[in-house]
Amino acid sequence: MPYGRITRAIFDPSKYDAMMAVAKSIDFSGWSGLRLLTVTRVAEDTVLVTAGYENKAAADANVENAKASLGKIADFMTEEPLVREVEVIWGFDGDQSMTPGYMRHVFVDFDSSKYDALMSYFDTTTERFRGVPGLIRVRLGRILENRMVSIAVYDNKASSDAGQENLRAIMSGMTEFVTGDYNIREGPIVLHHDLR
């Protein structure tokens, strides 16, 4: 089963360009099982690094690589990075020919006793994603027993904004499963590696 890690890094905004120069120099080609790596700037001082792996074993095999890479930008960070493990439990692929330019992460708590019903609900949403202009992919991941994240990748912010009506319709069908507020983190993709 596909697996991921989302790392939140908070940094000194005055050092952003220098940090990104270092980040862009990191070679990910030797990371066995790494399929995608995307850095999204979600606030002036915050990036989310989303890494997608073939499976949990590949993610675990690259822990030291990830630590070494984060070590290269440690001088720019203002606090320890926060790493979240993500078991990918559902996905949709849109137009893969487009270049990723914008990413939206939606974090939410859910009633874990209704997990099977939630997955059945998501199986009914596939058609809603078809034909959404600019949508490249969507992944649903389980972070904790009762917390999940939806990650949507678009070609640009305008497409992401236009896709929100569709997303709101899907989220309205989740009310019986959700136990907290949605935490949305979004922004432009500032670094993207597709290693598939």
Side-chain angles (χ1 to χ4, degrees):
M1 177 172 292
Y3 202 81
R5 288 204 169 93
I6 299 174
T7 303
R8 183 191 70 194
I10 298 177
F11 58 90
D12 179 346
S14 69
K15 299 179 179 178
Y16 173 75
D17 290 337
M19 179 184 75
M20 288 308 299
V22 171
K24 289 177 180 179
S25 72
I26 297 171
D27 180 13
F28 297 100
S29 62
W31 293 36
S32 179
L34 177 66
R35 294 296 169 243
L36 293 164
L37 185 124
T38 304
V39 179
T40 307
R41 191 169 187 182
V42 297
E44 183 183 9
D45 67 345
T46 308
V47 293
L48 292 182
V49 181
T50 306
Y53 297 91
E54 286 178 357
N55 51 42
K56 185 174 184 338
D60 290 346
N62 282 292
V63 166
E64 292 307 315
N65 287 333
K67 285 181 183 177
S69 296
L70 285 171
K72 292 179 180 181
I73 62 168
D75 290 343
F76 307 105
M77 290 189 277
T78 57
E79 61 183 69
E80 286 293 314
L82 174 66
V83 180
R84 292 284 187 227
E85 304 278 323
V86 181
E87 176 189 6
V88 177
I89 54 178
W90 184 87
F92 172 81
D93 288 326
D95 186 346
Q96 299 296 294
S97 69
M98 293 184 289
T99 302
Y102 198 83
M103 186 178 277
R104 178 171 277 141
H105 296 78
V106 180
F107 299 88
V108 67
D109 292 337
F110 68 96
D111 181 345
S112 60
S113 71
K114 297 181 179 180
Y115 176 77
D116 291 338
L118 174 64
M119 293 312 302
S120 293
Y121 170 73
F122 261 93
D123 287 340
T124 70
T125 66
T126 303
E127 287 306 314
R128 286 188 173 268
F129 288 107
R130 290 192 204 289
V132 174
L135 179 62
I136 298 172
R137 77 181 56 87
V138 178
R139 295 293 181 265
L140 183 67
R142 192 170 189 173
I143 300 173
L144 301 168
E145 179 68 19
N146 67 333
R147 189 155 180 82
M148 65 181 173
V149 60
S150 168
I151 303 167
V153 180
Y154 294 87
D155 61 339
N156 58 48
K157 183 179 185 335
S159 294
S160 175
D161 290 345
Q164 286 317 292
E165 181 178 330
N166 181 57
L167 185 58
R168 278 191 290 276
I170 290 170
M171 288 180 167
S172 69
M174 293 176 52
T175 55
E176 69 180 279
F177 309 109
V178 172
T179 61
D181 292 332
Y182 295 96
N183 179 357
I184 300 173
R185 305 300 301 256
E186 63 182 303
I189 293 173
V190 294
L191 183 64
H192 178 74
H193 292 283
D194 189 337
L195 303 163
R196 291 175 292 177

